[in-house]
Amino acid sequence: MSYVVDDSPDRIDTDAVWAALREVYWGKWRSRDDIEAQIRDAWRVIGVYEEQTGTQVGFARAVSDGSGFAYLADVIVLEAHRGHGLGKRIVQAMIDDGPGAHFRWTLFTSDAHGLYEQFGFAEPDRTALVRPAAPRPAHPTQAP
């Protein structure tokens, strides 16, 4: 199967992104409206699509000041399409092949350190401080 990586915001399938993000630990606190706003307000989005059908199978978004700093978020590949290097292609397209190639990037992950370390992400040095978010319950629209 072949895939296309595209950074066109108009091509993002909000239904597909919503369905994917409601299944992962980092998306359960957000409502559909939250997800739509985050996609709409993103500095940049990346989608991955099956070449034959055009079906969206991967996604990432970034927020940025547009000149020196960016935050990578919501990198996801549908389970049926994992193992084809799509996560790497998404991150490559977002941080190395796009307008933020010389930015300082940050992200948060509990389980994908190996992927991001391949792109130079590392534990923060003494110049970084992070204020953790307060715990949030799952949004009512995310309840099982």
Side-chain angles (χ1 to χ4, degrees):
M1 187 172 300
S2 57
Y3 299 92
V4 175
V5 177
D6 191 342
D7 67 350
S8 172
D10 296 334
R11 192 168 179 187
I12 297 296
D13 179 345
T14 305
D15 292 333
V17 174
W18 164 247
L21 290 178
R22 65 183 310 201
E23 299 297 323
V24 293
Y25 70 88
W26 73 86
K28 294 202 178 289
W29 62 268
R30 293 181 267 177
S31 70
R32 170 79 185 232
D33 289 342
D34 293 333
I35 299 294
E36 289 176 1
Q38 290 172 327
I39 293 169
R40 182 181 58 249
D41 297 338
W43 169 72
R44 190 160 187 245
V45 293
I46 299 290
V48 177
Y49 308 88
E50 286 184 346
E51 190 168 40
Q52 294 289 328
T53 66
T55 302
Q56 186 167 352
V57 300
F59 174 77
R61 67 181 175 91
V63 294
S64 176
D65 63 6
S67 63
F69 175 82
Y71 172 75
L72 178 61
D74 294 334
V75 177
I76 191 163
V77 174
L78 298 182
E79 190 169 348
H81 299 273
R82 293 179 188 158
H84 300 283
L86 298 179
K88 289 181 187 180
R89 288 178 63 184
I90 290 170
V91 176
Q92 174 84 34
M94 182 66 84
I95 68 169
D96 287 335
D97 297 341
H102 300 290
F103 288 4
R104 183 179 201 181
W105 284 86
T106 190
L107 63 85
F108 294 95
T109 185
S110 293
D111 59 1
H113 294 78
L115 168 64
Y116 300 114
E117 287 168 350
Q118 295 174 53
F119 293 92
F121 286 91
E123 289 189 30
D125 62 23
R126 64 177 191 79
T127 66
L129 297 173
V130 176
R131 180 178 179 227
R136 293 184 184 211
H139 192 276
T141 62
Q142 296 277 38

